[in-house]
Amino acid sequence: MRRACASRLHALLSRRALALGLPPPPRPPAQLQGITEPGAASHLGAAFLARALSSGLPAARRPCALQIQRITEPGAASSRIGAAFLARAGFSSEASAAAQDSAKPAERTGGEGSDGKSGKSEQGDAGKSVRGGPVSWLSFLLLLVTGGGIIVYYDKEKKRHIEELKNRTSAVKQEPSVGTAAIGGPFKLLNHDGKPVTEKDFLGKWTLLYFGFTHCPDICPDELQKMALAIDKIKEKTKMEIVPVFITVDPDRDTVEQVRDYVNEFHPDLIGLTGTADEIKKVARAYRVYYMKTEEEGSDYLVDHSIVMYLMNPKMEFVKFYGKNYDADSLADGIIKEIKGRQ
């Protein structure tokens, strides 16, 4: 039946071509005889006759091998056979494309008519590509929400803990004071002029005390120089006079004469104090000063001691101590701040 239809179509086209004075079309190859749709022959014939009547058949060209090879699928009957035939007859690529487009609805219908298996498989594959991945969008969103909640909770707890610490600290500060540090006390020494001096001789004045020894190679000279500069700066800024005092921790070598020569090298207002070993031990204990002889070789030795200055108020009560980390400017500013805060 298929071959008979193809033969009739070929005969019809040959008669039409002879009537127009054109060479008869070649016999279609075996691949083109597999037309399965009943209306394919008439469609192809109508297209060919319309082309012949309008402009005449051009010279025959060799059909594209790719187009002939694609006419094998059972569902590509009219469109692909018609496209190959038109290409064989010399029609343009637009005619071939039009013939292929005419059968697209049939192909879609055929896809849907096969119980929708093709559509279902495509949807299933699409779903698997989304749900089968290692991390889906939903799980990623849940992870972000959970992480954000944990961070917010942690920040709230941290702020609450800091507020509790501040409240506890402020509560402790508001409690009444139980007293001052146990630094300072009565003493009896000799000044660099050889006159007896006690703590009562410094009442009514702000006093700055430093413990050292005259044979100190570097630290004591640096600290006394810093003390001298600081009290001059304080006097320039505030007109307040601070009494600088040097107390030796080496009574065996620091006699009255030795201390006098030493303090005169730093400042004219600097007062040097010395005494017996027991008197020095008593005053050092009262002010919590550490000192000890080191590297003793005959009379040449050093004394290891605390490097601290003590600020005493006009009642000879301890106010604050200043270590080696203060320079002259910071020492002067610190003393001014303490004095003004207590006036």
Side-chain angles (χ1 to χ4, degrees):
M1 181 64 181
R2 296 176 181 174
R3 292 183 180 180
C5 292
S7 299
R8 292 177 185 175
L9 175 61
H10 183 265
L12 178 61
L13 296 178
S14 298
R15 287 195 299 270
R16 185 58 180 171
L18 290 175
L20 296 174
L22 299 174
R27 184 177 295 276
Q31 290 90 339
L32 298 182
Q33 296 179 7
I35 302 175
T36 57
E37 293 188 5
S42 60
H43 288 299
L44 292 176
F48 183 84
L49 292 177
R51 176 65 176 175
L53 291 175
S54 61
S55 59
L57 289 172
R61 291 185 295 179
R62 186 184 298 264
C64 180
L66 180 61
Q67 295 176 351
I68 299 300
Q69 290 176 1
R70 290 182 178 176
I71 311 174
T72 56
E73 299 178 4
S78 63
S79 63
R80 297 185 182 180
I81 292 175
F85 187 83
L86 293 176
R88 181 73 176 98
F91 285 96
S92 62
S93 59
E94 290 83 359
S96 300
Q100 289 180 358
D101 292 339
S102 64
K104 286 184 179 179
E107 292 179 359
R108 294 173 183 173
T109 306
E112 294 177 357
S114 57
D115 297 334
K117 292 182 180 180
S118 177
K120 291 182 179 178
S121 62
E122 291 178 358
Q123 293 178 357
D125 294 340
K128 289 180 180 178
S129 64
V130 175
R131 295 190 297 272
V135 179
S136 65
W137 286 107
L138 180 59
S139 60
F140 182 70
L141 180 60
L142 292 176
L143 178 62
L144 289 180
V145 173
T146 304
I150 293 174
I151 293 174
V152 172
Y153 175 77
Y154 175 76
D155 289 340
K156 286 184 177 180
E157 289 297 319
K158 184 178 180 181
K159 291 179 181 179
R160 185 180 62 82
H161 183 66
I162 293 174
E163 290 295 331
E164 290 180 357
L165 292 178
K166 288 182 179 179
N167 294 334
R168 293 176 184 176
T169 304
S170 61
V172 172
K173 289 182 178 179
Q174 293 175 359
E175 292 180 357
S177 177
V178 295
T180 58
I183 295 177
F187 60 84
K188 185 179 180 181
L189 299 172
L190 296 176
N191 65 12
H192 59 268
D193 292 329
K195 295 180 180 179
V197 175
T198 65
E199 76 284 354
K200 294 180 181 180
D201 294 322
F202 300 98
L203 294 176
K205 304 173 184 178
W206 286 89
T207 306
L208 192 62
L209 300 177
Y210 176 76
F211 291 80
F213 63 107
T214 61
H215 291 77
C216 181
D218 48 12
I219 295 178
C220 291
D222 293 341
E223 291 300 300
L224 290 176
Q225 184 68 29
K226 180 172 64 177
M227 176 188 286
L229 292 174
I231 61 175
D232 287 341
K233 290 178 180 293
I234 293 171
K235 188 174 182 179
E236 291 176 0
K237 292 181 179 180
T238 63
K239 307 300 180 181
M240 293 186 298
E241 294 187 359
I242 308 297
V243 179
V245 178
F246 168 77
I247 301 177
T248 182
V249 292
D250 185 15
D252 296 336
R253 293 181 297 184
D254 290 344
T255 61
V256 173
E257 293 78 9
Q258 179 69 24
V259 172
R260 181 174 61 250
D261 295 339
Y262 187 71
V263 297
N264 288 335
E265 296 178 0
F266 297 99
H267 198 277
D269 296 334
L270 181 60
I271 299 174
L273 300 179
T274 185
T276 64
D278 291 339
E279 290 172 345
I280 296 299
K281 184 183 295 185
K282 183 178 180 180
V283 67
R285 185 179 300 172
Y287 284 87
R288 304 295 188 269
V289 174
Y290 160 81
Y291 69 99
M292 183 180 66
K293 291 181 180 181
T294 60
E295 300 182 8
E296 184 172 1
E297 296 180 1
S299 60
D300 188 11
Y301 61 89
L302 298 176
V303 179
D304 187 18
H305 62 89
S306 303
I307 308 173
V308 179
M309 295 183 190
Y310 297 96
L311 179 63
M312 312 299 290
N313 64 16
K315 296 180 181 180
M316 279 302 289
E317 297 173 344
F318 170 75
V319 176
K320 191 174 181 179
F321 69 87
Y322 302 92
K324 191 175 181 297
N325 56 319
Y326 284 82
D327 57 10
D329 293 329
S330 59
L331 178 61
D333 294 339
I335 292 174
I336 291 173
K337 181 179 179 181
E338 294 295 332
I339 293 175
K340 287 185 176 180
R342 285 169 171 77
Q343 286 180 348

